[in-house]
Amino acid sequence: AALRQGRTRLVYVAPERFRNPGFQKLLAALPIRLLAVDEAHCISQWGHDFRPDYIRLGQVVRSLPGTPVMALTATATPEVRQDIVTQLGLGINGRSEPRVFVRGFRRTNLRLVVSSVSTHEEKLDRIDRILADFPTGIIYCSTRKQTERVGELLAAKKVKRLVYHAGLTDEVRREAQERFMGGEIPVVVATNAFGMGVDRADLRCVIHWDIPGSVEAYYQEVGRAGRDGILSHCELLFNYADVRTQKFFIEGSNPEPRLILALWDEVRSILQAEGPVTSSLDEWKGRLITTDNSISVNTCMGLYDRAGLIHRAMEGGRRCYTTRLAYAADTAGLREMLPGLEEKRRRDLEKLNGILRYVSS
């Protein structure tokens, strides 16, 4: 109502919101002066944090032909920058060529360190030593389970810390972020879900318990340290065994064509039998037998949506979607996407090799 009445000047929305037809209809009736896309690397399949829902922003740009567009990111290689332009449709359909600004990324006050460690005890010893000199910071872990485990290990050492990951309720996460940003708690143990909106100037350290999936992802996360310009410590605790977790993520984010098509047969059968289904992705995973990899299920459902096989609408205030079978569920579009997915898998593996080259040097 505030938007319709012109009482709101600035609106923040998650890209998932554009799944809601009512929200798209509302936008079409508003005089929007600027569309700003933050974390714009997420729109590119070649970016380190591709999110399928960002793809829909290209449609939003086309629906707002007179609205200027600004896309921003702290980490984008030349190919990612070009893909951002392509996905948003800048320079075509009557839009002028975009102006591209690259400021550079060197942060002279960040000390970047890699330590080779063999055990969790060695990792904890390094954290003790780092926090003694740099007591405020973030410890990144690759999984929710690891985040909880490291949080418990630090609690046993009387470290005042919070745990943050996407599996917590919205209220718990909001409270954790507020307590950390307000200076009440000096250390957060988190997955990369703890990132957007973290702008605490006095972060003195960023520690990686696990190796990230790419150099770009690593630099995005360490870049949260030392924003006040004072010396800050960024350390990656490297154990080669941790690479298996990143390979698991790559497999889930880039499922094989055989799995994509087999899972589609299951999803289609359920929707044909039951009609629209309202459930979370975790609930979908529990009903499917082709795979128990929740990342693969998430990836495949996004692919079916993009291929026009299903329609998904996000339910307000809930982490679930109402999924409907498209009127003409032809897999031709899905099959056309498969070669590109194979290329994305190759690039994701090359990014992992890139961070391995970094830790080895």
Side-chain angles (χ1 to χ4, degrees):
L3 284 168
R4 290 191 182 94
Q5 295 165 18
R7 293 188 286 112
T8 299
R9 293 183 58 203
L10 182 63
V11 182
Y12 292 92
V13 295
E16 290 82 3
R17 181 61 55 192
F18 293 101
R19 291 184 175 282
N20 187 315
F23 183 72
Q24 295 183 46
K25 185 176 179 181
L26 170 63
L27 284 186
L30 297 175
I32 298 175
R33 308 267 174 86
L34 174 69
L35 176 67
V37 182
D38 197 15
E39 309 292 356
H41 57 272
C42 296
I43 202 172
S44 171
Q45 288 200 53
W46 318 132
H48 68 270
D49 192 19
F50 171 65
R51 301 182 195 177
D53 279 298
Y54 269 75
I55 290 288
R56 192 170 280 99
L57 298 181
Q59 301 171 16
V60 177
V61 171
R62 288 194 295 275
S63 71
L64 302 170
T67 300
V69 177
M70 174 187 289
L72 310 100
T73 174
T75 47
T77 60
E79 62 185 0
V80 171
R81 294 201 294 269
Q82 182 54 51
D83 202 26
I84 291 169
V85 170
T86 301
Q87 295 295 340
L88 290 177
L90 308 181
I92 61 174
N93 297 326
R95 286 189 175 271
S96 59
E97 287 292 325
R99 298 174 66 191
V100 180
F101 301 87
V102 182
R103 184 181 182 274
F105 59 87
R106 189 172 182 218
R107 299 270 303 284
T108 57
N109 66 309
L110 297 186
R111 176 195 290 162
L112 302 179
V113 178
V114 176
S115 291
S116 293
V117 292
S118 301
T119 64
H120 283 187
E121 288 72 23
E122 287 185 43
K123 290 187 179 187
L124 283 171
D125 182 61
R126 284 300 308 151
I127 289 174
D128 280 343
R129 293 168 182 263
I130 295 165
L131 292 180
D133 294 326
F134 303 93
T136 305
I138 304 172
I139 301 171
Y140 279 113
C141 301
S142 59
T143 66
R144 299 176 188 180
K145 184 182 293 186
Q146 192 75 284
T147 300
E148 296 284 355
R149 184 180 298 132
V150 173
E152 291 171 3
L153 291 171
L154 292 178
K157 287 178 166 285
K158 310 299 182 186
V159 175
K160 197 174 182 182
R161 89 291 175 269
L162 287 167
V163 170
Y164 187 106
H165 57 71
L168 302 173
T169 66
D170 291 343
E171 179 61 26
V172 169
R173 286 187 296 151
R174 182 190 62 76
E175 181 183 355
Q177 181 154 335
E178 287 180 357
R179 292 178 70 191
F180 180 71
M181 296 296 289
E184 179 185 347
I185 302 294
V187 175
V188 169
V189 185
T191 60
N192 61 8
F194 191 71
M196 294 192 188
V198 178
D199 192 18
R200 182 169 167 175
D202 65 341
L203 281 186
R204 293 278 69 85
C205 69
V206 171
I207 304 168
H208 279 73
W209 181 274
D210 302 297
I211 189 171
S214 69
V215 174
E216 297 99 313
Y218 181 61
Y219 202 78
Q220 179 95 7
E221 287 158 11
V222 300
R224 290 164 189 140
R227 293 188 174 181
D228 55 7
I230 297 174
L231 177 67
S232 300
H233 186 89
C234 307
E235 184 160 335
L236 197 166
L237 307 175
F238 178 61
N239 181 336
Y240 194 83
D242 298 337
V243 175
R244 286 182 305 215
T245 301
Q246 288 301 331
K247 289 184 176 178
F248 173 80
F249 288 153
I250 290 173
E251 289 298 316
S253 300
N254 305 280
E256 294 182 354
R258 174 190 55 78
L259 173 61
I260 294 170
L261 296 172
L263 203 63
W264 165 242
D265 288 337
E266 279 197 77
V267 170
R268 179 181 57 193
S269 296
I270 291 172
L271 294 176
Q272 285 176 335
E274 301 180 19
V277 172
T278 300
S279 64
S280 67
L281 286 166
D282 283 341
E283 289 167 339
W284 267 110
K285 185 193 75 169
R287 302 187 63 181
L288 301 169
I289 61 173
T290 303
T291 180
D292 60 357
N293 186 330
S294 59
I295 303 174
S296 291
V297 173
N298 189 7
T299 301
C300 287
M301 294 298 281
L303 291 174
Y304 305 150
D305 193 0
R306 287 167 54 198
L309 298 174
I310 59 175
H311 299 300
R312 291 194 297 170
M314 183 172 152
E315 295 300 313
R318 301 177 62 193
R319 294 182 185 178
C320 67
Y321 300 97
T322 296
T323 305
R324 295 175 171 81
L325 196 64
Y327 178 71
D330 184 351
T331 60
L334 180 64
R335 293 176 185 275
E336 288 177 6
M337 298 165 69
L338 298 181
L341 296 173
E342 288 293 298
E343 172 66 8
K344 180 176 177 295
R345 175 199 287 264
R346 185 191 68 77
R347 294 203 186 197
D348 284 353
L349 287 170
E350 176 53 33
K351 288 174 191 172
L352 181 58
N353 288 333
I355 192 73
L356 289 172
R357 287 193 295 271
Y358 169 74
V359 301
S360 300
S361 61

